[in-house]
Amino acid sequence: MNTKTSFYLGPGRPLTVLSTWEELTEAGAGGLLGEHQWVELKASLGPTNKGVNTELARDLASLSVDGGILIFGVADDGTPVGCDATSIAQRVSQVAAISVTPPLSPFVHDPVPNPDDDSKAVLIVTVPPSADGPHMVDGRYWGRSAHGKRTLSDPEIRRILDQRTEHHGRFEQRLQGLPDRDPLLPLIAGQQSNGHVYLLAEPVGPILAANLSDPDVLRDALRGVTPSGWHAGLDQCPSSAHDPDGAALAWTSHPVEATDEKWLTYVSVKDDGRVIVVGGGATAKWRMPGGDEQEAVLHGLIATLTVQWIEVVRELALNQWGYQGEWRVGIHCTKLMGKPAQTNGLRAADVRFKAPDYTKAMVSSLMTQDVTLLADRLLAGLYRGLGYEGWKTKQVLTRR
């Protein structure tokens, strides 16, 4: 079920829904709409020329450091007045992509119409915190203060860049550390023999919605994933699982024999919005062409879990939490060394993976691309290592 987006309007201000003219009017009258570090107000957007577009680009770049909103059709005192919003959305997207370096992808919400004038509306643009910040416009980096946008000093730029590098390094450490806290181990009757797949998504900016780890919300999100066609998959996770830091569902809550380890699947949503998926079938014994059974990399199952995990993150972010920001996402697969793909019927040679593990991390909005294209970016190295040079996830999912 879709929920209304609540906007963060700065410290000391409550999360506020601004989906109707009445809500905008009440927020303005209550002093919630004011221009500061997290909010930029514009009564309208001027004509299309270099000066106006450059000013717009500076607004977008400045808000991207900590995240914020840009509101068109609201006066400086917070009163909604409306403006001609018909072309603003396109101009915002174009300016963000062309005039800001690196480019930005702000989220433009549906216009809020003025009930007394059909030609006018208020348009809200969310600019999430950017993992690529700070952003440059016209040769200068931009940030914000309590009084609005401003250029950043050299020490501030270095600090933000150092923080960006540190955040990425810590994310990769957490990703590669997931096997040390593998939730599937208590469910294996005996010793783990398969390689496992670990998928981690962390929001770049804070998610301000309530009940992030509501198990019913997670269960609803799983209902919308693409059916796997495997005995394992997020669509095959009906059992509640224990997670002290959030809510979790699993393929089963009871121990299974080692022969069924590959079907074990676990998904968790943490209290801070992290989404983790663990699968027990990165590698497993598999009957290969010719009838022989050997340890193989189940790249089809890995691809399936990756696509389903992205679908769950998107569903939670957009339709449950109202979060349009970027995500740090990554995959880590273990025990791959010396193993071929689950079938060699599609390859000319018997290629075996030449590294113990496979790890790939990146930053993405997750919202603007096809899920299989996002999976391609995460899994291209895995396919290549198995001899599938140039293969795409859509091909992998249809030819196991």
Side-chain angles (χ1 to χ4, degrees), residues 77-363:
D77 63 359
T79 302
V81 294
C83 64
D84 182 1
T86 52
S87 63
I88 293 179
Q90 183 178 4
R91 283 181 65 185
V92 167
S93 298
Q94 290 175 341
V95 167
I98 296 172
S99 301
V100 182
T101 305
L104 287 170
S105 299
F107 186 89
V108 182
H109 298 268
D110 292 335
V112 180
N114 184 334
D116 300 321
D117 187 344
D118 292 340
S119 67
K120 293 184 178 182
V122 168
L123 188 70
I124 301 177
V125 178
T126 296
V127 185
S130 172
D132 293 327
H135 291 259
M136 181 181 288
V137 177
D138 237 10
R140 290 184 291 177
Y141 289 102
W142 292 84
R144 295 186 71 80
S145 68
H147 304 291
K149 60 180 174 291
R150 62 180 178 83
T151 57
L152 295 172
S153 65
D154 288 345
E156 288 175 316
I157 295 168
R158 285 194 295 270
R159 175 182 58 81
I160 295 172
L161 292 174
D162 288 344
Q163 287 178 340
R164 184 174 75 184
T165 301
E166 181 182 2
H167 287 325
H168 187 74
R170 287 184 177 179
F171 174 80
E172 288 198 346
Q173 289 178 356
R174 288 190 291 273
L175 176 63
Q176 295 178 9
L178 289 177
D180 296 332
R181 300 178 299 278
D182 193 324
L184 300 184
L185 297 184
L187 298 176
I188 303 169
Q191 187 173 358
Q192 174 190 355
S193 61
N194 290 356
H196 287 189
V197 53
Y198 305 89
L199 296 154
L200 173 63
E202 294 183 354
V204 169
I207 294 179
L208 303 171
N211 301 321
L212 292 184
S213 55
D214 185 333
D216 290 333
V217 171
L218 175 58
R219 203 180 299 273
D220 287 342
L222 295 189
R223 293 192 180 102
V225 302
T226 301
S228 67
W230 290 78
H231 191 39
L234 300 189
D235 55 322
Q236 306 287 333
C237 288
S239 300
S240 297
H242 175 68
D243 186 336
D245 301 317
L249 298 170
W251 185 71
T252 181
S253 58
H254 304 290
V256 300
E257 297 299 325
T259 53
D260 290 327
E261 180 183 349
K262 60 180 172 291
W263 306 131
L264 292 175
T265 310
Y266 173 96
V267 56
S268 172
V269 178
K270 305 294 186 179
D271 293 333
D272 58 4
R274 285 175 294 151
V275 182
I276 297 173
V277 167
V278 182
T283 69
K285 287 186 177 180
W286 195 261
R287 192 169 301 281
M288 307 293 279
D292 294 334
E293 190 175 74
Q294 62 175 293
E295 291 286 335
V297 180
L298 306 191
H299 63 295
L301 179 54
I302 294 171
T304 295
L305 291 175
T306 301
V307 167
Q308 291 184 328
W309 160 72
I310 295 172
E311 290 175 334
V312 168
V313 175
R314 288 173 69 156
E315 167 64 22
L316 292 172
L318 283 180
N319 295 328
Q320 298 295 338
W321 303 336
Y323 176 77
Q324 292 92 26
E326 294 179 311
W327 290 80
R328 289 185 177 88
V329 294
I331 182 170
H332 181 62
C333 300
T334 60
K335 297 188 177 183
L336 305 181
M337 175 73 82
K339 297 179 176 66
Q342 65 201 58
T343 174
N344 61 7
L346 303 177
R347 304 194 323 278
D350 185 15
V351 178
R352 294 175 180 270
F353 208 81
K354 293 180 172 60
D357 304 323
Y358 174 75
T359 305
K360 174 67 175 180
M362 67 182 192
V363 175

Side-chain angles (χ1 to χ4, degrees), residues 9 20 35 42 110 147 229 247-248 260 330 353 366 400:
L9 303 178
T20 67
E35 193 165 284
K42 289 186 177 297
D110 292 335
H147 304 291
D260 290 327
F353 208 81
L366 298 186
R400 298 195 291 157

Side-chain angles (χ1 to χ4, degrees), residues 44-83:
S44 63
L45 184 59
T48 303
N49 60 50
K50 183 177 179 180
V52 173
N53 287 348
T54 299
E55 188 72 7
L56 174 58
R58 291 169 180 168
D59 291 328
L60 296 169
S62 70
L63 287 166
S64 71
V65 175
D66 296 306
I69 59 174
L70 175 57
I71 308 179
F72 297 93
V74 174
D76 290 341
D77 63 359
T79 302
V81 294
C83 64

Side-chain angles (χ1 to χ4, degrees), residues 362-381:
M362 67 182 192
V363 175
S364 174
S365 71
L366 298 186
M367 308 304 164
T368 58
Q369 295 186 41
D370 182 272
V371 291
T372 59
L373 297 180
L374 291 167
D376 287 341
R377 294 174 60 192
L378 285 168
L379 299 175

